[in-house]
Amino acid sequence: MSEQAELREQVRAGYAAAALKVTQGGTACCGPGEVEVDESFGAGLYATEETGSLPAEALAASLGCGNPLAVADLREGERVLDLGSGGGIDVLLSARRVGPAGRAYGLDMTEEMLALARANANRAAATNVDFLKGAIEDIPLPADSIDVVISNCVINLSVDKPAVFAEMFRVLTPGGRIGISDVVADDTLTSVQRAERGGYVGCIAGALSFAEYREGLATAGFTRIEVTPTHQVTDGMHSAIVRAAKPTTVPLTLEPVAAVQAGSCCGVTACCTPAETAADPGEGTASPASTGRTLEPDKNGV
């Protein structure tokens, strides 16, 4: 078994055990036995008014290092994908925010977590949710099908983070965005030093540095990238919120130069046909007909 396959199996087995523990009436933690349970992880990072009506099992299975919904700014009717959805706490909260016209998807590779999440969705009577089995490096959804990707302390567990970033970019609609909580390391810490502070399954050894996170997202094509620490998890390791957006691309077709007749330019930034005039010649305007371009509003507002 390769090192990557071995790490993936360790993660799967660890979180399967956490799900079974919750099913049997216990409380999970981020990487069983790996990280001391304190205010840095778990349901305590959510406001009481958010979680008050959720099933107890969803709260008990909360393994995150933050609250991605606090930065995702979800809106009515949006489609949301939670990577590594675990017991379903963020999916259920997302489903409330996007309302009946929206949809919240949870993706997890662990059968035990998926079973727990589906049971929690039934307890919460949530009808606009779907839980999918799969790897976050190979998301089983079409391109341009999701408005917002969220994740809570999961990307650090991936053995192929460039693939995760590329898949997030692929499934997002143009103008879509990410709102992620994750563990991030100081730029000065080497991979060896990160491993000294905690295990891979415990959300520590596999963490990217701040610079690595920004670079990885930029390489995948994201813009408006922000990686902001919120609180220290252990020495040199922080819970952080990560924001970024997929650019909105607008096809632009310009008329051939020969088609622009003399005297038709009536502004410094646009050209008009002979029948058009600019409302403000100092600024210049062009209708969609004169540029060959169709402008669509950005439904995501980013």
Side-chain angles (χ1 to χ4, degrees), residues 78-147:
E78 289 188 316
R79 297 155 296 176
V80 185
L81 170 64
D82 181 19
L83 300 183
S85 49
I89 184 172
D90 291 317
V91 174
L92 296 178
L93 291 173
S94 296
R96 288 182 187 172
R97 296 199 183 189
V98 300
R103 200 82 187 166
Y105 298 90
L107 176 64
D108 207 283
M109 69 175 181
T110 310
E111 289 281 7
E112 293 82 355
M113 278 295 185
L114 288 168
L116 176 60
R118 288 167 181 151
N120 286 333
N122 287 334
R123 293 185 187 100
T127 58
N128 59 336
V129 303
D130 287 295
F131 289 98
L132 312 172
K133 185 179 180 182
I136 63 175
E137 300 88 355
D138 187 15
I139 299 171
L141 287 171
D144 304 332
S145 62
I146 296 295
D147 299 304

